[in-house]
Coordinates of all heavy atoms in Angstrom, one line a residue:
I187 N 130.1 90.5 118.7 CA 129.1 89.7 119.4 C 128.6 88.7 118.4 O 128.0 89.0 117.4 CB 128.0 90.7 119.8 CG1 128.6 91.8 120.7 CG2 126.9 90.0 120.5 CD1 127.5 92.9 121.1
P188 N 128.7 87.4 118.8 CA 128.1 86.4 118.0 C 126.6 86.4 118.1 O 126.0 86.7 119.1 CB 128.6 85.1 118.7 CG 129.7 85.5 119.5 CD 129.5 87.0 119.9
C189 N 126.0 86.3 117.0 CA 124.5 86.3 116.9 C 124.1 85.4 115.7 O 124.8 85.0 114.9 CB 123.9 87.6 116.8 SG 124.4 88.5 115.3
F190 N 122.7 85.1 115.7 CA 122.2 84.3 114.6 C 120.8 84.8 114.3 O 120.2 85.6 115.1 CB 122.1 82.8 115.0 CG 121.2 82.6 116.1 CD1 119.8 82.2 115.8 CD2 121.5 82.7 117.4 CE1 118.9 82.0 116.8 CE2 120.6 82.4 118.5 CZ 119.3 82.1 118.2
G191 N 120.3 84.5 113.1 CA 119.0 84.9 112.7 C 118.5 84.1 111.5 O 119.3 83.2 111.0
P192 N 117.4 84.4 111.0 CA 116.9 83.6 109.9 C 117.7 83.9 108.6 O 118.2 85.0 108.5 CB 115.4 84.0 109.8 CG 115.5 85.4 110.4 CD 116.5 85.4 111.5
S193 N 117.6 83.0 107.7 CA 118.1 83.3 106.3 C 117.3 84.4 105.7 O 116.2 84.8 106.2 CB 118.0 82.0 105.5 OG 116.7 81.7 105.2
K194 N 117.8 84.9 104.6 CA 117.0 86.0 103.8 C 115.6 85.4 103.5 O 114.6 86.2 103.6 CB 117.8 86.4 102.6 CG 117.1 87.5 101.9 CD 118.0 88.0 100.7 CE 117.3 89.1 99.9 NZ 118.0 89.5 98.8
L195 N 115.5 84.3 103.0 CA 114.2 83.7 102.5 C 113.3 83.5 103.7 O 112.1 83.8 103.7 CB 114.4 82.3 101.9 CG 113.2 81.6 101.4 CD1 112.4 82.4 100.4 CD2 113.5 80.2 100.9
A196 N 113.8 83.0 104.9 CA 113.0 82.8 106.0 C 112.5 84.2 106.5 O 111.3 84.3 107.0 CB 113.7 82.1 107.1
A197 N 113.4 85.2 106.5 CA 113.0 86.5 107.0 C 111.8 87.1 106.0 O 110.9 87.7 106.5 CB 114.2 87.4 106.9
E198 N 111.9 86.8 104.8 CA 110.9 87.3 103.8 C 109.6 86.6 104.1 O 108.5 87.2 103.9 CB 111.4 87.1 102.4 CG 110.4 87.8 101.4 CD 111.1 88.1 100.0 OE1 112.1 87.5 99.8 OE2 110.4 88.8 99.3
L199 N 109.6 85.3 104.4 CA 108.4 84.6 104.8 C 107.7 85.3 105.9 O 106.4 85.4 106.0 CB 108.6 83.2 105.2 CG 108.9 82.2 104.0 CD1 109.4 80.9 104.5 CD2 107.8 82.0 103.1
E200 N 108.4 85.9 106.9 CA 107.8 86.5 108.0 C 107.5 88.0 107.6 O 106.4 88.4 108.1 CB 108.9 86.6 109.2 CG 108.3 87.3 110.4 CD 107.1 86.7 111.1 OE1 106.9 85.5 110.9 OE2 106.4 87.4 111.7
A201 N 108.2 88.7 106.8 CA 108.0 90.1 106.6 C 106.9 90.3 105.6 O 106.3 91.4 105.6 CB 109.3 90.7 106.1
S202 N 106.7 89.4 104.6 CA 105.8 89.7 103.5 C 104.7 88.6 103.4 O 104.9 87.5 103.1 CB 106.5 89.7 102.1 OG 105.6 89.8 101.1
K203 N 103.5 89.0 103.7 CA 102.3 88.1 103.7 C 102.1 87.6 102.2 O 101.9 86.4 102.0 CB 101.1 88.8 104.2 CG 99.9 87.9 104.3 CD 100.1 86.7 105.2 CE 100.3 87.0 106.7 NZ 100.5 85.8 107.5
A204 N 102.2 88.5 101.3 CA 102.0 88.2 99.9 C 103.0 87.1 99.5 O 102.7 86.1 98.8 CB 102.1 89.4 99.0
F205 N 104.3 87.4 99.8 CA 105.3 86.4 99.5 C 105.1 85.0 100.1 O 105.2 84.0 99.4 CB 106.7 86.9 99.9 CG 107.9 85.9 99.7 CD1 108.5 86.0 98.4 CD2 108.3 85.0 100.6 CE1 109.5 85.1 98.1 CE2 109.3 84.2 100.4 CZ 109.9 84.2 99.1
S206 N 104.7 85.0 101.4 CA 104.3 83.8 102.1 C 103.2 83.1 101.5 O 103.3 81.8 101.2 CB 104.0 84.2 103.6 OG 105.1 84.7 104.2
K207 N 102.2 83.7 101.2 CA 101.0 83.0 100.6 C 101.4 82.5 99.1 O 101.0 81.3 98.9 CB 99.8 84.0 100.4 CG 99.2 84.3 101.8 CD 98.7 83.2 102.4 CE 97.3 83.5 103.1 NZ 96.6 82.3 103.6
D208 N 102.1 83.2 98.4 CA 102.6 82.7 97.1 C 103.4 81.5 97.2 O 103.4 80.6 96.5 CB 103.3 83.8 96.3 CG 102.3 84.9 95.7 OD1 101.1 84.6 95.7 OD2 102.7 86.0 95.4
F209 N 104.3 81.6 98.2 CA 105.3 80.5 98.5 C 104.5 79.3 98.8 O 104.8 78.2 98.4 CB 106.3 80.9 99.6 CG 107.3 79.8 100.0 CD1 108.5 79.7 99.3 CD2 107.0 79.0 101.0 CE1 109.4 78.8 99.7 CE2 107.9 78.0 101.3 CZ 109.1 77.9 100.7
F210 N 103.6 79.4 99.8 CA 102.8 78.2 100.2 C 102.0 77.6 99.1 O 101.9 76.4 98.9 CB 101.7 78.7 101.3 CG 102.4 79.2 102.6 CD1 101.6 80.0 103.4 CD2 103.6 78.8 103.0 CE1 102.2 80.5 104.6 CE2 104.2 79.4 104.2 CZ 103.5 80.2 105.0
A211 N 101.4 78.5 98.2 CA 100.6 77.9 97.1 C 101.5 77.2 96.1 O 101.3 76.1 95.6 CB 99.9 79.1 96.4
K212 N 102.7 77.7 95.8 CA 103.7 77.2 94.9 C 104.1 75.8 95.4 O 104.4 74.9 94.6 CB 104.9 78.1 94.8 CG 106.0 77.6 93.8 CD 107.1 78.5 93.7 CE 108.2 78.0 92.9 NZ 109.4 78.9 92.8
H213 N 104.3 75.6 96.7 CA 104.8 74.4 97.2 C 103.7 73.5 97.8 O 104.0 72.6 98.6 CB 105.9 74.7 98.3 CG 107.1 75.3 97.7 ND1 108.0 74.7 96.9 CD2 107.5 76.7 97.7 CE1 108.9 75.5 96.5 NE2 108.6 76.8 96.9
N214 N 102.4 73.8 97.5 CA 101.3 73.0 97.9 C 101.2 72.8 99.4 O 100.9 71.8 99.9 CB 101.3 71.7 97.2 CG 101.1 71.8 95.7 OD1 100.2 72.6 95.3 ND2 101.9 71.0 95.0
L215 N 101.5 73.9 100.1 CA 101.4 73.9 101.6 C 100.1 74.4 102.0 O 99.6 75.3 101.4 CB 102.5 74.8 102.2 CG 103.9 74.3 101.9 CD1 104.9 75.4 102.3 CD2 104.3 73.0 102.5
P216 N 99.5 73.8 103.0 CA 98.1 74.2 103.4 C 98.1 75.7 103.9 O 98.9 76.1 104.6 CB 97.7 73.3 104.6 CG 98.9 72.4 104.8 CD 100.0 72.8 103.8
T217 N 97.2 76.4 103.4 CA 96.9 77.9 103.8 C 95.5 78.2 103.4 O 94.9 77.6 102.6 CB 98.0 78.8 103.1 OG1 97.9 80.1 103.6 CG2 97.8 78.8 101.5
A218 N 95.0 79.2 104.1 CA 93.7 79.6 103.8 C 93.6 80.3 102.3 O 94.6 80.7 101.8 CB 93.3 80.7 104.7
A219 N 92.4 80.3 101.7 CA 92.3 80.8 100.4 C 92.7 82.3 100.5 O 92.5 83.0 101.5 CB 90.8 80.7 100.0
F220 N 93.3 82.8 99.3 CA 93.8 84.2 99.4 C 93.8 84.7 97.9 O 93.8 84.0 97.0 CB 95.2 84.2 100.0 CG 96.2 83.6 99.1 CD1 97.0 84.5 98.2 CD2 96.5 82.3 99.1 CE1 98.0 83.9 97.4 CE2 97.4 81.7 98.2 CZ 98.2 82.5 97.4
K221 N 94.0 86.1 97.9 CA 94.1 86.8 96.6 C 95.0 87.9 97.0 O 94.7 88.7 97.9 CB 92.8 87.1 96.0 CG 92.9 88.0 94.8 CD 93.1 87.0 93.6 CE 93.0 87.9 92.3 NZ 93.7 87.4 91.3
N222 N 96.1 88.1 96.2 CA 97.0 89.2 96.4 C 96.7 90.3 95.4 O 96.3 90.0 94.2 CB 98.5 88.8 96.2 CG 98.9 87.9 97.3 OD1 98.5 88.1 98.5 ND2 99.8 87.0 97.0
F223 N 96.8 91.6 95.8 CA 96.5 92.7 94.9 C 97.7 93.6 95.0 O 98.2 93.9 96.1 CB 95.2 93.5 95.3 CG 94.0 92.6 95.2 CD1 93.5 91.9 96.2 CD2 93.4 92.4 93.9 CE1 92.4 91.1 96.1 CE2 92.3 91.6 93.8 CZ 91.8 90.9 94.8
Q224 N 98.1 94.2 93.9 CA 99.2 95.1 93.8 C 98.7 96.5 94.0 O 97.6 96.8 93.9 CB 99.9 95.0 92.4 CG 100.5 93.7 92.1 CD 101.5 93.2 93.0 OE1 102.4 94.0 93.4 NE2 101.5 92.0 93.4
S225 N 99.6 97.4 94.4 CA 99.3 98.8 94.5 C 98.6 99.3 93.3 O 99.0 99.0 92.2 CB 100.6 99.6 94.8 OG 100.3 101.0 94.9
G226 N 97.6 100.0 93.5 CA 96.8 100.5 92.3 C 95.6 99.6 91.9 O 94.9 99.9 91.0
D227 N 95.6 98.4 92.4 CA 94.6 97.4 92.1 C 93.4 97.4 93.0 O 92.7 96.4 93.2 CB 95.1 96.0 92.0 CG 96.0 95.7 90.9 OD1 96.0 96.4 89.9 OD2 96.7 94.6 90.9
H228 N 93.1 98.6 93.6 CA 92.1 98.6 94.7 C 90.6 98.3 94.0 O 89.9 97.7 94.7 CB 92.1 99.9 95.4 CG 92.0 101.2 94.5 ND1 93.1 101.7 94.0 CD2 90.9 101.9 94.2 CE1 92.8 102.7 93.3 NE2 91.4 102.9 93.4
D229 N 90.5 98.7 92.8 CA 89.1 98.4 92.2 C 89.0 96.9 92.0 O 87.8 96.3 92.3 CB 88.9 99.1 90.8 CG 88.8 100.6 90.9 OD1 88.2 101.0 92.0 OD2 89.1 101.3 90.0
A230 N 90.0 96.2 91.7 CA 90.0 94.7 91.5 C 89.7 94.1 93.0 O 89.0 93.1 93.1 CB 91.2 94.2 91.0
A231 N 90.4 94.7 94.0 CA 90.2 94.2 95.4 C 88.7 94.4 95.8 O 88.1 93.5 96.5 CB 91.2 94.9 96.3
Y232 N 88.2 95.6 95.4 CA 86.8 95.8 95.8 C 85.9 94.8 95.1 O 85.0 94.2 95.8 CB 86.3 97.2 95.3 CG 86.9 98.4 96.0 CD1 87.1 99.6 95.4 CD2 87.3 98.4 97.4 CE1 87.6 100.7 95.9 CE2 87.9 99.5 97.9 CZ 88.0 100.6 97.2 OH 88.5 101.7 97.9
R233 N 86.1 94.5 93.9 CA 85.3 93.5 93.2 C 85.4 92.2 93.8 O 84.5 91.4 93.9 CB 85.7 93.5 91.7 CG 85.2 94.7 90.9 CD 85.3 94.5 89.4 NE 86.7 94.3 89.0 CZ 87.6 95.2 88.7 NH1 87.3 96.5 88.9 NH2 88.8 94.9 88.3
Y234 N 86.7 91.8 94.2 CA 86.9 90.4 94.8 C 86.1 90.3 96.1 O 85.4 89.3 96.4 CB 88.4 90.3 95.1 CG 88.7 89.1 95.8 CD1 88.8 87.8 95.2 CD2 89.0 89.0 97.2 CE1 89.1 86.7 95.9 CE2 89.3 87.9 97.9 CZ 89.4 86.7 97.2 OH 89.6 85.5 97.9
V235 N 86.2 91.4 97.0 CA 85.4 91.2 98.3 C 84.0 91.3 98.0 O 83.2 90.5 98.8 CB 85.8 92.2 99.4 CG1 87.3 92.1 99.7 CG2 85.6 93.7 98.9
E236 N 83.5 92.0 97.1 CA 82.0 92.0 96.7 C 81.6 90.6 96.3 O 80.5 90.1 96.8 CB 81.7 92.9 95.6 CG 81.7 94.4 96.1 CD 81.7 95.4 94.9 OE1 81.9 95.0 93.7 OE2 81.6 96.6 95.2
A237 N 82.4 89.9 95.5 CA 82.1 88.6 95.1 C 82.1 87.6 96.2 O 81.3 86.6 96.4 CB 83.0 88.1 94.0
E238 N 83.2 87.7 97.1 CA 83.3 86.7 98.3 C 82.1 86.9 99.2 O 81.5 85.9 99.6 CB 84.6 87.1 99.0 CG 85.8 86.6 98.3 CD 85.9 85.1 98.0 OE1 86.0 84.4 98.9 OE2 85.8 84.8 96.8
Y239 N 81.7 88.1 99.5 CA 80.6 88.3 100.4 C 79.3 87.9 99.8 O 78.4 87.3 100.4 CB 80.5 89.7 100.9 CG 81.4 90.0 102.1 CD1 82.6 90.5 102.0 CD2 80.9 89.8 103.4 CE1 83.4 90.7 103.1 CE2 81.7 90.0 104.5 CZ 83.0 90.4 104.4 OH 83.8 90.7 105.4
A240 N 79.1 88.1 98.4 CA 77.9 87.6 97.7 C 77.9 86.1 97.7 O 76.8 85.6 97.7 CB 77.9 88.1 96.3
A241 N 79.1 85.4 97.8 CA 79.0 84.0 97.8 C 78.9 83.5 99.3 O 78.9 82.3 99.5 CB 80.3 83.5 97.2
G242 N 78.8 84.3 100.2 CA 78.6 83.9 101.6 C 79.9 83.8 102.4 O 79.8 83.2 103.5
R243 N 81.0 84.2 101.8 CA 82.3 84.0 102.5 C 82.7 85.4 103.0 O 82.5 86.4 102.4 CB 83.3 83.5 101.5 CG 83.0 82.1 101.0 CD 84.1 81.6 100.1 NE 84.1 82.2 98.8 CZ 83.5 81.8 97.7 NH1 82.8 80.7 97.8 NH2 83.6 82.5 96.6
E244 N 83.4 85.4 104.2 CA 84.0 86.5 104.7 C 85.5 86.6 104.3 O 86.0 85.7 103.8 CB 83.9 86.6 106.2 CG 82.4 86.6 106.7 CD 82.3 86.6 108.3 OE1 83.3 86.5 109.0 OE2 81.2 86.7 108.7
V245 N 86.0 87.8 104.5 CA 87.4 88.0 104.1 C 88.2 88.6 105.3 O 87.6 89.2 106.2 CB 87.6 88.9 102.9 CG1 86.9 88.3 101.7 CG2 87.1 90.3 103.2
V246 N 89.5 88.6 105.3 CA 90.4 89.4 106.1 C 91.2 90.2 105.2 O 91.5 89.8 104.0 CB 91.3 88.6 107.1 CG1 90.4 87.8 108.1 CG2 92.2 87.6 106.4
V247 N 91.6 91.4 105.6 CA 92.4 92.3 104.9 C 93.8 92.6 105.5 O 93.7 92.9 106.7 CB 91.7 93.6 104.6 CG1 92.5 94.6 103.8 CG2 90.3 93.4 103.9
K248 N 94.8 92.3 104.8 CA 96.2 92.5 105.4 C 97.1 93.2 104.4 O 97.1 92.9 103.3 CB 96.7 91.1 105.8 CG 98.2 91.1 106.1 CD 98.5 91.4 107.5 CE 99.9 91.2 108.0 NZ 100.8 92.2 107.6
A249 N 97.8 94.2 104.9 CA 98.8 94.8 104.1 C 100.0 94.0 104.2 O 100.4 93.6 105.3 CB 99.1 96.3 104.6
S250 N 100.6 93.7 103.1 CA 101.9 92.9 103.1 C 103.0 93.8 103.6 O 103.0 95.0 103.4 CB 102.2 92.5 101.7 OG 103.2 91.5 101.7
G251 N 104.0 93.1 104.2 CA 105.1 93.8 104.7 C 104.9 94.5 106.1 O 103.8 94.0 106.8
L252 N 105.6 95.4 106.5 CA 105.4 96.0 107.8 C 104.2 96.9 107.7 O 104.1 97.8 106.9 CB 106.6 96.9 108.2 CG 107.9 96.0 108.4 CD1 109.1 96.9 108.7 CD2 107.7 94.9 109.4
A253 N 103.1 96.6 108.5 CA 101.8 97.2 108.3 C 101.6 98.5 109.1 O 100.5 98.9 109.3 CB 100.8 96.2 108.6
A254 N 102.7 99.0 109.7 CA 102.6 100.2 110.5 C 101.5 100.1 111.6 O 100.7 101.0 111.8 CB 102.3 101.4 109.6
G255 N 101.5 98.9 112.3 CA 100.6 98.7 113.4 C 99.1 98.4 112.9 O 98.2 98.1 113.8
K256 N 98.9 98.3 111.6 CA 97.5 97.9 111.2 C 97.2 96.4 111.3 O 96.1 96.0 111.6 CB 97.2 98.3 109.7 CG 97.1 99.9 109.6 CD 96.8 100.3 108.2 CE 96.7 101.7 108.1 NZ 97.7 102.6 108.5
G257 N 98.2 95.6 111.1 CA 98.0 94.2 111.2 C 97.0 93.7 110.3 O 96.8 94.1 109.2
V258 N 96.2 92.7 110.8 CA 95.1 92.0 110.0 C 93.8 92.7 110.4 O 93.5 92.9 111.6 CB 95.1 90.5 110.3 CG1 93.8 89.9 109.6 CG2 96.3 89.8 109.8
L259 N 93.1 93.1 109.4 CA 91.8 93.7 109.6 C 90.7 92.7 109.3 O 90.8 92.0 108.3 CB 91.6 94.9 108.7 CG 92.6 96.1 108.9 CD1 92.5 97.1 107.8 CD2 92.5 96.7 110.2
M260 N 89.7 92.5 110.2 CA 88.7 91.5 110.1 C 87.4 92.2 109.9 O 86.6 92.3 110.9 CB 88.7 90.6 111.3 CG 90.1 89.9 111.5 SD 90.2 88.8 112.8 CE 89.1 87.6 112.3
P261 N 87.0 92.6 108.7 CA 85.7 93.3 108.5 C 84.5 92.4 108.7 O 84.6 91.2 108.5 CB 85.8 93.7 107.0 CG 86.9 92.9 106.4 CD 87.8 92.4 107.5
Q262 N 83.5 93.0 109.2 CA 82.2 92.2 109.4 C 81.2 92.4 108.3 O 80.1 91.7 108.4 CB 81.6 92.6 110.7 CG 82.5 92.4 111.9 CD 82.8 90.9 112.1 OE1 81.9 90.1 112.2 NE2 84.1 90.7 112.2
S263 N 81.6 93.1 107.3 CA 80.6 93.4 106.1 C 81.4 93.8 104.9 O 82.6 94.1 105.0 CB 79.6 94.5 106.5 OG 80.3 95.7 106.6
V264 N 80.8 93.7 103.8 CA 81.5 94.1 102.5 C 81.9 95.7 102.6 O 82.9 96.0 102.2 CB 80.6 93.8 101.3 CG1 79.4 94.7 101.2 CG2 81.4 94.0 100.0
E265 N 81.0 96.4 103.2 CA 81.3 97.9 103.4 C 82.5 98.0 104.2 O 83.4 98.9 103.9 CB 80.1 98.6 104.0 CG 78.9 98.7 103.1 CD 78.0 97.4 103.2 OE1 78.2 96.5 104.1 OE2 77.2 97.2 102.3
E266 N 82.6 97.3 105.4 CA 83.9 97.4 106.2 C 85.1 96.9 105.5 O 86.2 97.4 105.5 CB 83.8 96.6 107.5 CG 82.8 97.3 108.5 CD 82.7 96.5 109.8 OE1 83.6 95.6 110.0 OE2 81.8 96.8 110.6
A267 N 84.9 95.8 104.6 CA 86.1 95.3 103.8 C 86.5 96.3 102.8 O 87.8 96.5 102.7 CB 85.6 94.0 103.1
K268 N 85.6 97.0 102.2 CA 86.0 98.0 101.2 C 86.7 99.2 101.8 O 87.6 99.8 101.3 CB 84.7 98.4 100.4 CG 84.3 97.3 99.4 CD 83.0 97.6 98.8 CE 83.1 98.3 97.6 NZ 81.7 98.4 96.9
A269 N 86.2 99.5 103.1 CA 86.9 100.7 103.8 C 88.2 100.2 104.3 O 89.2 101.1 104.2 CB 86.0 101.0 105.1
A270 N 88.5 99.0 104.6 CA 89.8 98.5 104.9 C 90.7 98.5 103.7 O 91.9 99.0 103.9 CB 89.7 97.0 105.5
I271 N 90.2 98.1 102.6 CA 91.0 98.2 101.3 C 91.4 99.7 101.0 O 92.5 99.9 100.7 CB 90.2 97.6 100.2 CG1 90.1 96.1 100.4 CG2 90.9 97.9 98.9 CD1 89.1 95.4 99.4
K272 N 90.5 100.6 101.2 CA 90.7 101.9 101.0 C 91.8 102.4 101.9 O 92.7 103.1 101.5 CB 89.4 102.8 101.1 CG 89.6 104.3 100.8 CD 88.3 105.0 100.9 CE 88.4 106.5 100.6 NZ 89.2 107.2 101.6
E273 N 91.7 102.1 103.2 CA 92.7 102.5 104.2 C 94.1 102.0 103.8 O 95.1 102.8 103.9 CB 92.3 102.0 105.6 CG 93.2 102.3 106.6 CD 92.8 101.8 108.0 OE1 91.7 101.4 108.2 OE2 93.7 101.8 108.9
I274 N 94.2 100.8 103.4 CA 95.5 100.2 103.1 C 96.0 100.6 101.7 O 97.2 100.8 101.5 CB 95.4 98.7 103.3 CG1 95.2 98.3 104.7 CG2 96.7 98.0 102.7 CD1 94.9 96.9 105.0
M275 N 95.1 100.5 100.8 CA 95.7 100.7 99.3 C 95.5 102.1 98.7 O 96.3 102.5 97.9 CB 95.0 99.8 98.4 CG 95.2 98.3 98.8 SD 94.3 97.1 97.6 CE 95.5 97.2 96.2
V276 N 94.6 102.9 99.3 CA 94.4 104.2 98.7 C 94.9 105.3 99.6 O 95.7 106.1 99.2 CB 92.8 104.4 98.4 CG1 92.6 105.9 97.9 CG2 92.3 103.4 97.4
D277 N 94.5 105.3 100.9 CA 94.8 106.4 101.8 C 96.3 106.2 102.3 O 96.9 107.2 102.5 CB 93.9 106.3 103.1 CG 92.4 106.6 102.7 OD1 92.2 107.1 101.6 OD2 91.6 106.3 103.5
K278 N 96.8 104.9 102.4 CA 98.1 104.7 102.9 C 98.5 105.7 103.9 O 99.5 106.3 103.9 CB 99.1 104.5 101.8 CG 98.7 103.5 100.8 CD 99.8 103.4 99.8 CE 99.3 102.9 98.4 NZ 100.2 102.8 97.4

C-alpha cells in the first residue's frame, strides 16, 4: 500500500515539545518564552514557576512527548502550577 508521512525530524517536531522549542530557539523562529526541565529537575521547575508568578507572569505546563491525555495544563496560580509539575514530573 503506497503511503507517505513526515520525515523523522518533522515527526519529532510534533512528538516532542522540548525538541520543538529548542529547535525554534536555535533557528530564531518565533515562539513563546519557555524553559525545559529534565526528569528529576522538579525542584528547579518549582523555583522557575515561583519566579515567573512573582514577576507577574503566568505559565503553562506541558509534558514533552506523548502526554497520556494530559496535554497542556494551564494553571491559574503558582500552587496549581506546582501541582501540575508534581503530577507530570514526580507522580507520573
Side-chain angles (χ1 to χ4, degrees):
I187 299 173
C189 62
F190 66 94
S193 67
K194 183 178 178 181
L195 177 63
E198 192 162 8
L199 285 170
E200 179 62 28
S202 172
K203 184 60 69 181
F205 178 85
S206 298
K207 291 297 221 169
D208 289 339
F209 180 89
F210 297 156
K212 178 180 177 182
H213 296 285
N214 295 317
L215 298 171
T217 188
F220 70 98
K221 177 81 173 154
N222 291 324
F223 297 94
Q224 300 299 315
S225 180
D227 285 347
H228 55 276
D229 288 331
Y232 292 152
R233 289 190 300 273
Y234 176 79
V235 298
E236 287 168 352
E238 290 298 294
Y239 277 93
R243 294 183 291 266
E244 295 181 355
V245 301
V246 297
V247 179
K248 166 82 169 82
S250 189
L252 300 176
K256 290 182 175 58
V258 175
L259 303 171
M260 300 179 70
Q262 299 299 306
S263 68
V264 69
E265 293 81 14
E266 286 183 14
K268 290 168 90 173
I271 291 166
K272 182 178 181 294
E273 178 181 346
I274 290 172
M275 296 183 78
V276 178
D277 299 342
K278 303 183 209 183

